[in-house]
């Protein structure tokens, strides 16, 4: 459940959990600007910078974030990227975010955008994208100490905000502030509304130079300062030296490559995308349509959490770039648990139902399934055309696409990487090369002997499809998956079609259509949707049903590979091995790769990022 906010008669928000108000009686926006923005020298401090990274220890009702976002919007000298990483153990209800901003007209539209995304906030990291990806909020839901341990970036400004130290001492103790200090560089500005002596002493103990400044009535003082210890700070990990945008070559114009290109272009890179096909999405991303459907598991596994993170980001991109009803549709997805298992965690919190919940009798009836069937309804699921998303990403400013070019090798030179074809002719040259070429990634990214090649596995898939005929009645109005999948009515220029499949054949690269796979797709459909399968069986037994085939790429642990492959070639990176979950993982992996280059807050916890780094398979 959302945290309870009690609104007092004068409009001041009060939190009964901590027996404290969220902000001063004199006004929230005034406090955000006077105490935090001015306290850290903003917006003047970020003028002309490539990026600015703010850390906040208590998000509350979000006014500090909204004030920073508004200041960024209004500033002609603003940085290209504004990052705001905030921790909040008890997220408020979206309606309280809107009510909190209501007295400030300039913040109302921003609060509405934030509230629209403020859903499904289970423990962990959540990434929200605004201003077409130039303002990024990373919300860390959980207690402050463990969340600070999962962050890995150097903040340029720190907003120390939270309820009164006497009511919420853990937020302000020296151990918490030491963790904050580990995320600071020399010169990082810090500001807080409290002037309590114990807080000032703890900050100084952690390496901050602190002074009192004039407070906002009714408080007489506040604290401002910067991180500048007399000793050399100990780092939990080596500080990331953020690179400056330059030239980049991406090999592969499928979902993975296009997502990387878009993420880097937003940060100012000049990106050249090379592909062997004559049009983007010529490989596995040419699938007519795929499903956005989170993985669920009783233990809420890493894969389950990753798919939610990735789908959140893909949905944000779809809403910004695609035409609903033509390129995608958030219709929800019913997962028929054909093995009879429950799937959801036993103690699935209320906020989890934003993502997935037990399928209702109505869902089952509309799918033609018996009332005792086990099913999960994925509220945020839907179908999407991968090629539409790929083309939308590649059309972003700063990206040049070149097709019909077969990359065969990447050669390291001083400060540069050269991409060569099979004849040894140069196709492109840049400081950074990202390989996102499906199964071909292994050979292109190889360092040293054949035994050092990334252990990527090709996975063949075949999808069955045919026009949706008028006599096809009683089919579900939404996609269904679970031991195969079914999309009942995909819009095309020639009319709606249905899709069923797909096969999953490891170590198979044959693209020829197989009758056996068509029959296998029908068998899967019989288990998934018996009534629909009975209707479509005559089509399968005739020439009506057609097929599409593609080759996907997977890793041994079923997780994507992102980032540098080997420290000896720092400018060579990969984004690959997304298996059948490219729509769930591509946008997430593109942002993770960009964040790792630029020293930004990651969209996932550090321990999760370590499970995705490409170099993990060489350890």
């Amino acid at each position: 459940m959302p945290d309870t906010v009690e609104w007092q008669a004068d409009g001041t928000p009060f939190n009964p959990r901590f027996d404290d108000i969220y902000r001063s009686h004199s006004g929230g926006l005034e406090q955000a600007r006077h105490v935090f923005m001015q306290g850290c020298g903003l917006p003047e401090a970020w003028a002309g910078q490539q990026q600015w990274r703010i850390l906040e220890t208590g998000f509350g009702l979000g006014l500090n974030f909204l004030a920073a976002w508004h200041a960024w919007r209004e500033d002609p000298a603003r940085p290209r990227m504004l990052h705001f990483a905030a921790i909040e153990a008890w997220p408020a209800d979206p309606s309280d975010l809107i009510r909190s901003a209501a007295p400030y007209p300039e913040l109302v539209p921003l609060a509405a955008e934030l509230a629209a995304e403020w859903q499904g906030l289970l423990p962990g990291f959540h990434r929200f994208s605004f201003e077409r990806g130039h303002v990024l909020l990373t919300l860390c839901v959980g207690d402050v100490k463990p969340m600070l341990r999962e962050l890995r970036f150097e903040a340029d400004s720190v907003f120390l905000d939270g309820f009164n130290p006497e009511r919420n001492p853990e937020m302000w103790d020296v151990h918490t502030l030491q963790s904050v200090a580990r995320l600071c560089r020399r010169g990082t500005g810090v500001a807080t509304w409290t002037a309590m002596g114990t807080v000032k002493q703890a900050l100084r103990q952690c390496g901050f130079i602190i002074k009192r400044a004039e407070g906002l009535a009714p408080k007489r003082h506040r604290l401002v300062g910067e991180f500048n210890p007399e000793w050399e700070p100990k780092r939990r990990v080596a500080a990331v030296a953020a690179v400056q945008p330059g030239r980049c070559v991406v090999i592969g114009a499928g979902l993975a490559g296009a997502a990387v290109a878009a993420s880097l272009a937003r940060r100012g890179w000049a990106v050249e995308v090379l592909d062997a096909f004559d049009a983007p999405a010529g490989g596995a991303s040419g699938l007519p349509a795929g499903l956005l459907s989170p993985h669920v598991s009783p233990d809420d596994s890493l894969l389950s959490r990753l798919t939610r993170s990735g789908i959140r980001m893909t949905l944000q991109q779809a809403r910004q770039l695609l035409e609903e009803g033509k390129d995608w549709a958030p219709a929800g997805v019913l997962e028929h648990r054909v093995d009879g298992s429950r799937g959801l965690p036993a103690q699935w919190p209320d906020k989890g139902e934003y993502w997935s919940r037990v399928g209702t009798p109505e869902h089952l009836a509309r799918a033609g399934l018996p009332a005792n069937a086990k099913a999960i309804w994925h509220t945020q699921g839907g179908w999407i055309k991968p090629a539409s998303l790929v083309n939308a990403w590649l059309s972003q400013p700063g990206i040049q696409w070149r097709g019909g070019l077969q990359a065969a090798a990447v050669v390291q030179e001083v400060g540069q990487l050269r991409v060569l074809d099979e004849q040894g002719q140069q196709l492109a040259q840049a400081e950074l090369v990202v390989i996102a070429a499906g199964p071909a990634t292994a050979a292109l990214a190889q360092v040293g002997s054949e035994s050092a090649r990334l252990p990527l596995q090709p996975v063949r898939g075949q999808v069955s499809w045919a026009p949706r005929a008028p006599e096809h009645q009683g089919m579900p109005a939404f996609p269904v998956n679970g031991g195969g999948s079914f999309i009942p009515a995909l819009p095309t220029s020639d009319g709606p079609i249905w899709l069923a499949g797909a096969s999953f054949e490891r170590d198979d690269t044959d693209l020829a259509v197989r009758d056996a796979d068509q029959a296998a797709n029908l068998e899967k459909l019989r288990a998934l949707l018996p009534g629909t399968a009975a209707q479509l069986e005559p089509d399968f037994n005739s020439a009506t049903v057609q097929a599409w085939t593609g080759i996907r790429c997977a890793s041994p642990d079923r997780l994507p590979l992102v980032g540098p492959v080997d420290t000896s070639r720092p400018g060579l990176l990969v984004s690959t091995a997304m298996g059948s979950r490219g729509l769930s993982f591509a946008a997430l992996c593109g942002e993770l790769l960009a964040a790792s280059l630029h020293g930004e807050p990651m969209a996932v916890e550090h321990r999760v990022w370590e499970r995705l780094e490409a170099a993990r398979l060489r350890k």
Side-chain angles (χ1 to χ4, degrees), residues 23 41 51 71 145 162 251 305 614:
R23 61 198 189 212
Q51 64 174 350
K145 287 184 174 68
I251 303 175
R305 289 178 279 123

Side-chain angles (χ1 to χ4, degrees), residues 481-516:
N481 71 346
S485 64
F486 182 74
I487 300 176
L490 179 73
T492 75
S493 58
D494 296 323
I497 64 173
W498 58 260
L499 289 90
S503 61
F504 196 88
E505 299 152 283
R506 297 182 183 276
D507 296 318
D508 192 336
T509 58
D510 181 13
L511 289 172
V513 174
R514 298 172 183 167
D515 291 341

Side-chain angles (χ1 to χ4, degrees), residues 262-557:
S263 288
L264 292 177
R266 281 194 292 272
R267 288 159 175 82
W269 288 80
V271 185
E272 191 174 358
V273 180
L274 309 180
D275 197 75
F277 294 95
D278 293 329
S285 297
L287 178 71
L291 294 186
L292 284 174
S293 178
H295 178 272
V296 293
S297 55
D299 61 349
D300 200 27
S301 66
L302 173 61
L303 182 60
S304 299
R305 289 178 279 123
L306 268 177
T307 55
R308 291 198 301 269
S309 295
I311 287 173
R312 185 190 289 277
M313 296 177 72
T314 303
L315 288 172
Q316 290 171 359
Q317 292 290 294
R319 285 192 289 267
Q320 293 175 11
L321 301 174
L322 302 182
E323 182 179 342
E324 186 174 333
K326 176 185 175 183
D327 301 315
W328 75 296
V333 172
L334 184 70
E335 181 179 344
H336 180 192
R337 308 290 290 191
V338 294
D339 60 359
S341 63
R342 182 179 185 274
L344 290 173
Q347 300 298 322
W348 193 234
D350 292 339
K351 291 177 182 178
E353 293 195 355
Y354 168 80
W355 294 101
S356 305
R357 54 189 171 89
V358 175
T360 65
E362 180 184 359
H363 291 133
L364 295 172
R366 292 175 67 189
L369 294 173
N372 62 350
K374 300 293 185 183
I376 296 172
W377 177 250
H378 299 298
T379 308
Q380 302 306 307
W383 60 260
I384 188 168
K385 296 179 180 178
S388 296
L389 187 55
V390 166
N391 282 291
W393 276 332
L394 293 180
S395 67
Q396 301 302 295
I399 300 175
Q400 177 189 10
W401 178 79
R402 296 170 60 201
L405 300 173
Q406 182 69 61
V410 181
V411 178
Q412 181 86 48
E413 293 187 351
V414 178
Q416 294 286 316
L417 290 163
R418 299 173 61 219
V419 181
L420 309 179
D421 64 13
E422 292 179 344
Q423 289 73 44
Q425 298 298 309
Q426 179 172 301
L427 299 176
Q429 177 176 305
E431 307 95 83
L432 187 73
V433 171
V434 181
I435 306 172
T441 301
L444 288 168
Q446 183 176 328
V447 178
S449 65
E450 182 74 17
S451 62
R453 180 176 291 196
L454 288 172
L456 300 179
Q457 186 176 50
V459 181
R460 180 185 181 278
Q462 181 168 316
V463 173
S464 305
W465 68 273
R468 171 76 181 261
E471 61 267 23
H472 291 156
Q473 301 297 321
M475 289 185 180
F478 40 75
V480 181
N481 71 346
S485 64
F486 182 74
I487 300 176
L490 179 73
T492 75
S493 58
D494 296 323
I497 64 173
W498 58 260
L499 289 90
S503 61
F504 196 88
E505 299 152 283
R506 297 182 183 276
D507 296 318
D508 192 336
T509 58
D510 181 13
L511 289 172
V513 174
R514 298 172 183 167
D515 291 341
D517 285 354
Q518 297 288 74
N521 284 340
L522 176 57
E523 285 302 312
K524 289 181 180 178
L525 189 58
R526 286 193 180 110
L528 187 68
L529 293 167
T532 297
Q535 283 194 63
L536 298 181
E537 186 169 356
D539 291 345
F540 273 94
N541 293 330
S542 69
T544 304
V545 175
Q546 302 180 55
W548 175 93
T549 60
I551 310 299
R552 297 156 292 189
C553 175
S555 68
D557 59 9

Side-chain angles (χ1 to χ4, degrees), residues 220-238:
R220 294 177 57 193
H221 299 104
R222 56 190 167 100
L223 297 179
V224 299
E226 66 176 28
F227 183 68
N228 194 12
E230 297 177 356
W231 60 90
E232 191 59 34
K234 292 182 179 179
R235 299 288 181 188
R236 190 182 298 112
V237 293

Side-chain angles (χ1 to χ4, degrees), residues 22-24 27-38 42 46 54-72 82-86 97 100-101 104 107 110 114 135 137 158-162 191-193:
Y22 278 90
R23 61 198 189 212
S24 168
L29 183 55
E30 292 84 353
Q31 177 174 294
R33 288 171 171 165
H34 180 74
V35 174
F36 295 103
M37 293 292 290
Q38 293 179 23
L42 298 175
W46 69 32
I54 297 174
L55 169 66
E56 182 175 51
T57 53
F59 189 82
L61 299 177
L63 277 185
N64 291 341
F65 167 66
L66 296 176
W69 179 4
H70 182 263
W72 178 90
L82 175 63
H83 297 277
F84 200 101
L97 303 184
S100 175
Y104 316 108
L107 300 188
L110 307 186
L114 175 61
V135 174
L137 168 62
V158 174
F159 296 172
L160 293 177
D161 201 7
T192 182
W193 57 268

Side-chain angles (χ1 to χ4, degrees), residues 1-7 13-17 22-23 59-63 66 88-102 110-121 128 139 141 163 350-351 354:
M1 293 291 291
D3 207 23
T4 300
V5 179
E6 295 180 358
W7 292 89
F14 175 83
N15 186 290
R17 185 187 304 275
Y22 278 90
R23 61 198 189 212
F59 189 82
L61 299 177
L63 277 185
L66 296 176
E88 180 55 58
W90 307 98
D93 189 83
S95 62
D96 288 316
L97 303 184
I98 293 175
R99 184 171 180 177
S100 175
L110 307 186
E113 286 191 51
L114 175 61
E117 301 289 349
W118 196 261
Q119 304 286 346
L121 300 180
F128 304 103
L139 183 71
V141 178
F163 293 111
D350 292 339
K351 291 177 182 178
Y354 168 80

